Amino acid sequence: MTEPQGAGTGEGSTQRLPVVERGTEPAPHEHEPGGAEPYEGGRAGRFWSKRRIPAGIVALLLLLLAGAFLYDVVAVRAGRSALGWRRDLARELAERPVDDTWVLVGAGVAAALGLWLLLLALTPGLRRVLPMRRTHPDVRAGLHRDAAATVLRDRAMEVAGVQSARVRMRRRRARVRALSHFRELDDVRAELGGALDDAVRGLGLARPPAVSLRVTRPGRKG
């Protein structure tokens, strides 16, 4: 048998354990050397697409065009005649007037292609990924819009009186359309609005979208 606490100091005697009074527990990460402090702040910007396919197509076209011109220039320097397509192109550019229809069409296509490339370069892309709040300086997280819409739809279906729900998630707004087959529409709308607001906050998005809610009765059959 062990001796009562504090009965002795010899071998086999029990030791008094430290007692922590209620209300005096140290807060998490408090008094801990090297404890992680909660991260607050940090801009949760949108995710940028790598644009592999457009970049690959543009690089391939530029490579083929530059290679064709370089081959023709080297051939001319070597004493051979220029290729027929380059002679025809030079003649057309020299003889065709600027206000010609085909010249205007070609200029319009080139301008549209240039604007499209600039748009791809200056916009982040990945519009279907919603950035989430940052809780760690080295971690960025995103939530797909379809997944967020599924969460809101499932939460809406948990409200009593909701027969079906449809959610369209955008970057700044979530449009919810629900059908209620019993209960007063005002009661269903009020409860559903509160549930959806809680669900949106629970998603942890950096910019929670505003909820646009519409509750109606199902149409009559026949």
Side-chain angles (χ1 to χ4, degrees):
M1 295 180 61
T2 60
E3 298 180 7
Q5 291 183 348
T9 58
E11 185 178 358
S13 63
T14 58
Q15 303 292 326
R16 183 177 296 275
L17 298 176
V19 178
V20 178
E21 299 291 341
R22 177 172 295 182
T24 61
E25 297 89 356
H29 309 298
E30 187 178 354
H31 307 304
E32 294 182 6
E37 294 294 336
Y39 178 74
E40 295 182 358
R43 183 175 180 273
R46 290 175 56 187
F47 292 86
W48 283 75
S49 173
K50 295 184 179 180
R51 315 281 192 188
R52 290 193 178 96
I53 295 179
I57 293 175
V58 173
L60 180 60
L61 292 178
L62 291 178
L63 178 63
L64 294 177
L65 185 62
F69 273 102
L70 181 61
Y71 173 82
D72 193 45
V73 169
V74 172
V76 172
R77 292 292 185 180
R80 299 180 181 180
S81 60
L83 295 177
W85 65 268
R86 196 162 74 92
R87 292 197 302 268
D88 295 339
L89 178 61
R91 185 178 66 255
E92 290 291 336
L93 292 176
E95 298 176 356
R96 191 175 294 271
V98 178
D99 58 350
D100 185 79
T101 302
W102 288 108
V103 173
L104 296 178
V105 170
V109 171
L113 180 61
L115 290 177
W116 178 62
L117 294 176
L118 286 176
L119 182 65
L120 291 180
L122 298 177
T123 56
L126 294 180
R127 297 178 58 87
R128 303 190 67 84
V129 179
L130 303 175
M132 303 180 69
R133 288 193 302 268
R134 300 187 65 178
T135 59
H136 193 278
D138 298 327
V139 177
R140 293 185 62 203
L143 182 64
H144 200 277
R145 289 197 313 203
D146 292 342
T150 300
V151 172
L152 297 185
R153 182 181 60 82
D154 293 344
R155 185 65 185 90
M157 294 300 297
E158 296 176 359
V159 176
V162 176
Q163 180 182 10
S164 63
R166 184 177 59 183
V167 180
R168 296 184 62 184
M169 179 68 70
R170 295 292 183 263
R171 291 200 305 118
R172 301 189 181 277
R173 183 172 297 274
R175 300 183 181 274
V176 182
R177 301 294 179 263
L179 296 179
S180 176
H181 56 301
F182 70 92
R183 296 181 66 191
E184 294 292 334
L185 289 182
D186 292 339
D187 297 339
V188 176
R189 187 179 295 106
E191 184 176 349
L192 185 56
L196 291 175
D197 289 340
D198 293 340
V200 168
R201 286 192 296 268
L203 293 176
L205 299 177
R207 299 178 183 86
V211 178
S212 173
L213 176 60
R214 181 182 178 186
V215 182
T216 58
R217 296 290 188 193
R220 294 181 178 180
K221 296 182 179 180

